[in-house]
Amino acid sequence: VNARSRLKQHWKNYRDIVYVAFKPVLLNRLDEEEPRMIAAIEARFPVLNISFAKSSASFVPFDRVVAPDQARRFLDGHCLDAANDWRDWPLLHRKQARRFENFERDELRSYALDSLRCYIERCVPYPAATEVKFWSVTILNETPHVFRVNAGQQEVFSLWIEDEVYARVLAYEKLSGKFFGPLYATKSFDNWVPVLELDRWLNKEAALSCRKLVIWLMRHTTPLNSKSHCPQLVRAAFGASTNLTSPY
């Protein structure tokens, strides 16, 4: 409705906007016209709108890092066994130093690191290459959240305290006895799993459903919370290991 303020919101996340075009539309026709315009534009260009864009076959930035044939193999259940060398993010290291120091004293530290590694290994393609560009993890030093992983514009995994410690795992299907959904514009389901059961629960079937959601989100946009990404948390989860291939 307010084009100027909406454009400012976009510029906060997408600094590479060069041209902007407007189409006059009656106020009471905005809701029906928006998906129609997006569909017309998406026929020729990759679109970042999470609400209406389809998983486009067009080339998108994600394809520069994970080629379409590699993404298909990943979605078919194969592991991507190329070398994964974590890069340095000095600015993020400095920005997140205080939060990570607080996390180091958290009684849930071991649960958090084990569950984060489990999720990244099984659900994130080429994690070292896609880190920050397409996924991020934010430390939340306040309960009930411990940390949150975002892929594209959406939370996909977090550690949550409610009576006991749960992993909240977003996927396309209802995969657990305790779930909420459909959530967000992607119609994904929020599955709750006791953290001690995560390694067993996140088996091949569950991992593939999570991979499908993660790939879809990564192909549409860069993560909104990349500026709050904590590389120290990821490095602590993987230690000195560079072998990040999935067992699935």
Side-chain angles (χ1 to χ4, degrees), residues 55-237:
S55 188
S56 172
S58 304
F59 182 87
V60 295
F62 177 72
D63 298 332
R64 299 182 189 276
V65 180
V66 181
D69 64 317
Q70 294 172 320
R72 283 192 295 271
R73 290 185 64 245
F74 191 61
L75 292 173
D76 286 339
H78 298 281
C79 62
L80 301 179
D81 51 4
N84 281 271
D85 296 321
W86 298 105
R87 61 169 290 185
D88 293 326
W89 302 94
L91 179 59
L92 291 173
H93 270 269
R94 290 195 296 272
K95 286 180 64 176
Q96 301 304 318
R98 179 67 60 84
R99 282 178 178 268
F100 185 70
E101 286 178 10
N102 292 336
F103 168 80
E104 287 278 79
R105 297 189 290 270
D106 196 307
E107 61 181 8
L108 297 175
R109 180 184 184 279
S110 61
Y111 290 138
L113 296 180
D114 289 346
S115 63
L116 180 62
R117 175 165 183 152
C118 178
Y119 181 81
I120 291 176
E121 280 187 327
R122 302 183 190 187
C123 303
V124 178
Y126 292 131
T130 54
E131 182 188 23
V132 177
K133 302 183 187 75
F134 301 101
W135 67 273
S136 65
V137 56
T138 304
I139 290 179
L140 302 165
N141 292 131
E142 300 176 0
T143 56
H145 273 98
V146 179
F147 68 81
R148 177 180 62 226
V149 178
N150 293 285
Q153 297 185 1
Q154 182 173 309
E155 175 187 330
V156 290
F157 183 75
S158 63
L159 207 63
W160 183 277
I161 306 169
E162 185 178 290
D163 298 329
E164 61 180 303
V165 185
Y166 284 94
R168 298 177 64 216
V169 190
L170 272 289
Y172 268 120
E173 286 95 5
K174 308 168 186 176
L175 299 174
S176 70
K178 183 178 181 181
F179 66 87
F180 297 96
L183 303 174
Y184 309 111
T186 53
K187 303 297 188 290
S188 49
F189 288 84
D190 178 12
N191 298 276
W192 289 52
V193 184
V195 71
L196 294 176
E197 299 177 16
L198 180 66
D199 183 63
R200 176 190 59 79
W201 181 87
L202 198 56
N203 54 27
K204 186 172 183 178
E205 179 183 355
L208 290 180
S209 182
C210 296
R211 288 180 180 189
K212 182 180 177 182
L213 179 63
V214 166
I215 291 281
W216 192 95
L217 291 164
M218 285 184 172
R219 292 199 81 245
H220 281 77
T221 184
T222 53
L224 291 181
N225 291 334
S226 59
K227 292 180 181 178
S228 65
H229 177 65
C230 182
Q232 295 98 312
L233 183 61
V234 181
R235 306 306 179 270

Side-chain angles (χ1 to χ4, degrees), residues 43-55:
R44 297 186 60 190
F45 304 100
V47 175
L48 302 184
N49 186 285
I50 193 171
S51 297
F52 299 111
K54 294 175 291 187
S55 188

